[in-house]
Amino acid sequence: MSNEELLAKIGQSTEETEFYTPMPNGYRPGHHKYVIVVGTVMSGLGKGIFSSSLAKLCQDKGLRVAPIKMEGYYNIDSGTLNPYRHGEVFVLDDGMETDMDLGTYERLLDQDLSAANFTTNGQIFREVLRKEREGEYLGRDVQTIPHVTGEIKLRLRELAAKSKADVVFVEVGGTVGDLENSNYLEACRQLAYEEGEGSVIFVALTYVLEPGALGEQKSKAAQLGIKRLMEVGIMPHIIACRASNPIKEKVREKISMYTNVPMKRVFSMHDVSSIYMIPEAMREAGIDREVLTMLDLHDRVNQKIEDVNLKKWRWFTDHIGRSKKQVTLAVTGKYTALRDAYASIIKAGEHCGAHLGVDVQFKWMDTTDINAENVARELAGCQGIIVPGGFGVRGTEGKIDCIRYARENHVPYLGLCLGFQMAVIEYARNVCGIPDANSTEFDKKCKNCVIEILEEQKKIEGLGGNMRLGGKEVDIKPGTLAARLYDNARRIRLRFRHRYEVDPRFIPTLEQHGLIFSGKHPTQPIMQVLELPQDVHPFFLGTQAHPELTSRPLRPSPFFMGLISAAMEHVKGEHAKGIKRQPQTV
Ligand code: GLN
């Protein structure tokens, strides 16, 4: 049976065939190729970084790429996950709440992704059960193979068809050997068989230990991890070895020898100063060319496009971390113990740093113990303050003290989502003379809740899926700081994840006292950007959105650019220039 015949046959689900693999409309067998990235030894090694870097190299050559992350957990999305355990929740433009790896893909590929680029076991099983209830399995007993694996393959092929991808990059969550990811591995093995030779390649990301007591690199754990992959019928084509230091030639040889993967495809993915250096390191090692050869893609490559893209990217990487100038931004956040919870903020700082020629440092602050007495001391040495997104009452009073300090002392301020709401509360309390102003999120009985639950969300109960999520249009008021930052654009698109908003009843009072709402929903009274006039404060801006999520290496977030430029002025002591008046403070 030829591969075409096989693919036609497995599209059916009858008594005559053991296969169950529905084919989506528009699927072009043989056209779509797959790179499947799996982890061995341990998780958290940077499968997403490897996968997105390789995808970027292919994209730079003019190929259409589509990444997908497949999570082993049974949650439908990442919305209810604790950032302490999983890192930040990354929201996509269509409102899907995903793992932070999707942020890495969006940043490296400069591409907006959607729910099609993210799946969980929860989603897969929900769909299998829906089909069972609706009789789609034609009376057969529903099994892991072929139905669950069939559903997984369908997701991959749907993405390929929808995105018209030359190459789909599949990142399998967790580590080979995890029970919860085994269906994904089996589905990928089947996919490789069905699509035929030269269509699917497997990359094993592994870890080479270097115990301090021994002072040498040991490859045994890596070898055993890859053996585990072979046990489920998958032979890797590329091995990427994570390690602190470059992998020694001898160690690479050993791994190559024990895994049947030629030396030229055993790649040392040691620690580098920035993840943005990895694509170039892979290119230098020739991994991209190996992929093109194995997937027979050389004919689809456009050299001219690659030259232009490489030049742009090199400009960016040449400017990362090269500056002697430095600014320090205070970030107040509950999850200060875990940097992953604020990954996108760190990245946005890195992007702007390259464009502005400055090294952006962060000072992480837990605001639980901050008060009016110690706030100046705690913020000393910081040229800018960010109050990031967050939930719950803990530390909110300390945040308000930080915002007041920033406002009164002309320290550049950027409020992100919760930081926007806290800025409204601070202004209402200390400028508008409403001392009990608060948010219903923190004080249900408060009489002056300037931050209220959204009208449209009030009826929805429960924790999952009741937020205002995803990309939304924002109308920008001409002549404002926000307009200047966005080159006088009248309408922009920002990404949201919130439940509460400014209560419209208080807008006139806030505006009369000098607060400017420079970004609003086009039709509803939802306030999305606030600022202080430029003759009152050099940079005081808050947004109900999460601009950190849409900052990209070559298109950094204008709000962060504004904050960091203002922080650089603050270093030079020029921040008070042009300040003529103070808002009247009660
Ligand atoms: N807790 C606030 C809300 O739900 C802010 C959310 C956030 O910062 N992402 O509106």
Side-chain angles (χ1 to χ4, degrees):
M1 192 168 21
S2 74
N3 238 70
E4 279 72 40
E5 284 165 343
L6 174 72
L7 284 171
K9 191 171 160 82
I10 60 182
Q12 305 151 11
S13 175
T14 63
E15 284 300 313
E16 282 102 70
T17 170
E18 275 312 302
F19 298 106
Y20 168 78
T21 306
M23 286 289 159
N25 286 338
Y27 191 73
R28 293 169 64 190
H31 178 80
H32 311 293
K33 311 279 180 165
Y34 298 83
V35 173
I36 294 164
V37 182
V38 303
T40 70
V41 180
M42 63 188 194
S43 65
L45 290 177
K47 285 190 296 275
I49 293 168
F50 182 92
S51 184
S52 48
S53 297
L54 191 54
K56 177 175 172 51
L57 290 177
C58 292
Q59 184 193 47
D60 280 352
K61 295 174 197 294
L63 297 173
R64 287 180 86 103
V65 298
I68 179 167
K69 169 100 197 248
M70 302 203 294
E71 288 284 8
Y73 48 72
Y74 288 83
N75 309 60
I76 299 293
D77 57 39
S78 309
T80 51
L81 300 182
N82 178 346
Y84 255 137
R85 286 175 61 93
H86 296 270
E88 76 182 355
V89 175
F90 195 87
V91 188
L92 303 180
D93 190 75
D94 65 356
M96 184 75 192
E97 295 176 281
T98 71
D99 176 83
M100 59 188 287
D101 269 334
L102 276 277
T104 309
Y105 288 113
E106 284 208 341
R107 285 186 283 267
L108 267 164
L109 301 175
D110 196 358
Q111 189 176 314
D112 280 346
L113 302 176
S114 74
N117 303 94
F118 179 70
T119 193
T120 65
N121 263 331
Q123 289 178 32
I124 298 291
F125 280 85
R126 182 173 64 175
E127 192 56 11
V128 168
L129 294 176
R130 182 193 67 74
K131 287 184 176 167
E132 187 274 333
R133 287 291 84 185
E134 292 177 15
E136 288 190 31
Y137 296 122
L138 307 175
R140 286 190 56 154
D141 44 343
V142 181
Q143 295 180 309
T144 306
I145 303 169
H147 302 105
V148 175
T149 52
E151 192 58 44
I152 296 168
K153 287 181 285 179
L154 178 61
R155 288 295 293 255
L156 298 179
R157 288 185 170 119
E158 273 174 348
L159 173 63
K162 183 177 158 233
S163 61
K164 300 189 172 63
D166 292 297
V167 194
V168 175
F169 286 83
V170 184
E171 178 189 347
V172 181
T175 311
V176 175
D178 295 345
L179 204 49
E180 60 177 11
N181 293 305
S182 54
N183 293 345
Y184 289 138
L185 285 180
E186 170 59 14
C188 291
R189 188 197 64 73
Q190 293 173 14
L191 182 84
Y193 164 74
E194 291 168 1
E195 294 288 326
E197 227 160 283
S199 290
V200 180
I201 57 172
F202 288 91
V203 179
L205 195 74
T206 192
Y207 190 63
V208 173
L209 297 160
E210 196 168 348
L214 297 181
E216 61 171 319
Q217 294 176 331
K218 301 298 260 179
S219 66
K220 185 67 81 192
Q223 289 172 40
L224 293 175
I226 293 160
K227 283 241 157 68
R228 199 89 207 247
L229 183 64
M230 292 169 165
E231 277 168 26
V232 296
I234 294 172
M235 295 288 272
H237 300 82
I238 295 175
I239 296 180
C241 305
R242 287 285 293 120
S244 318
N245 300 309
I247 308 286
K248 298 260 166 11
E249 185 85 352
K250 263 173 66 186
V251 176
R252 280 176 57 233
E253 272 170 13
K254 220 172 192 177
I255 292 174
S256 166
M257 153 75 193
Y258 280 104
T259 58
N260 298 326
V261 176
M263 276 290 276
K264 60 183 175 182
R265 292 194 231 130
V266 179
F267 173 62
S268 170
M269 191 178 161
H270 47 273
D271 290 352
V272 282
S273 55
S274 160
I275 65 155
Y276 297 125
M277 304 298 179
I278 293 187
E280 189 57 23
M282 285 163 78
R283 223 176 59 82
E284 277 169 14
I287 298 292
D288 55 340
R289 282 191 307 279
E290 286 296 313
V291 170
L292 295 184
T293 306
M294 286 184 285
L295 294 177
D296 193 15
L297 285 169
H298 282 289
D299 289 353
R300 298 191 212 172
V301 165
N302 184 327
Q303 191 57 50
K304 278 206 192 86
I305 293 182
E306 184 173 25
D307 291 344
V308 175
N309 287 332
L310 280 182
K311 218 168 130 194
K312 283 194 208 156
W313 188 250
R314 281 194 188 133
W315 177 90
F316 175 69
T317 50
D318 282 350
H319 285 81
I320 302 175
R322 291 287 156 84
S323 180
K324 285 195 188 67
K325 277 188 238 158
Q326 191 178 319
V327 292
T328 303
L329 306 176
V331 184
T332 69
K334 196 157 79 170
Y335 303 109
T336 47
L338 189 69
R339 303 288 179 268
D340 271 2
Y342 299 107
S344 291
I345 293 179
I346 298 172
K347 289 292 157 203
E350 198 173 11
H351 305 158
C352 297
H355 288 264
L356 294 168
V358 66
D359 174 23
V360 180
Q361 294 290 326
F362 295 98
K363 179 181 176 185
W364 305 95
M365 289 173 53
D366 186 344
T367 48
T368 340
D369 299 322
I370 301 259
N371 52 47
E373 276 73 58
N374 64 15
V375 65
R377 200 173 59 239
E378 292 293 326
L379 289 171
C382 296
Q383 294 83 37
I385 299 170
I386 296 175
V387 173
F391 296 83
V393 68
R394 196 166 81 85
T396 47
E397 290 303 317
K399 286 178 190 156
I400 289 180
D401 289 322
C402 290
I403 297 170
R404 180 175 194 163
Y405 181 84
R407 185 175 57 74
E408 293 181 345
N409 295 281
H410 305 130
V411 184
Y413 175 72
L414 179 62
L416 307 171
C417 203
L418 181 71
F420 163 93
Q421 298 173 355
M422 303 309 298
V424 172
I425 296 171
E426 191 279 323
Y427 208 76
R429 284 188 193 175
N430 301 326
V431 181
C432 306
I434 314 173
D436 65 339
N438 214 333
S439 161
T440 29
E441 183 177 3
F442 315 132
D443 183 0
K444 294 266 174 305
K445 293 197 204 86
C446 165
K447 274 203 226 62
N448 287 306
C449 276
V450 289
I451 306 295
E452 252 288 8
I453 197 127
L454 289 164
E455 200 54 50
E456 57 188 91
Q457 318 280 19
K458 263 185 185 157
K459 288 157 240 129
I460 314 169
E461 305 251 315
L463 262 187
N466 62 357
M467 277 197 271
R468 181 168 179 257
L469 290 167
K472 314 268 177 207
E473 308 285 294
V474 180
D475 276 358
I476 297 291
K477 190 171 178 173
T480 58
L481 171 60
R484 188 162 59 74
L485 294 172
Y486 273 90
D487 287 333
N488 297 317
R490 298 298 288 268
R491 184 168 284 187
I492 61 170
R493 193 170 175 84
L494 293 172
R495 240 176 248 184
F496 293 82
R497 180 171 188 255
H498 67 120
R499 197 172 283 126
Y500 297 83
E501 60 166 294
V502 179
D503 185 336
R505 286 185 300 137
F506 291 94
I507 293 171
T509 312
L510 290 160
E511 286 182 334
Q512 276 153 24
H513 285 82
L515 195 66
I516 300 169
F517 287 107
S518 49
K520 298 182 184 176
H521 187 282
T523 52
Q524 292 166 34
I526 303 180
M527 302 299 110
Q528 326 211 72
V529 184
L530 67 74
E531 61 187 71
L532 284 178
Q534 295 253 262
D535 59 350
V536 168
H537 196 289
F539 189 94
F540 189 96
L541 189 138
T543 171
Q544 186 62 83
H546 285 284
E548 70 276 22
L549 300 183
T550 41
S551 185
R552 308 271 167 86
L554 298 175
R555 292 187 300 133
S557 156
F559 289 153
F560 278 82
M561 287 291 276
L563 172 77
I564 293 165
S565 308
M568 290 167 78
E569 294 291 299
H570 200 84
V571 176
K572 288 194 273 169
E574 287 176 12
H575 57 287
K577 238 171 47 188
I579 305 293
K580 296 195 188 79
R581 60 191 174 95
Q582 295 283 335
Q584 38 181 141
T585 301
V586 290

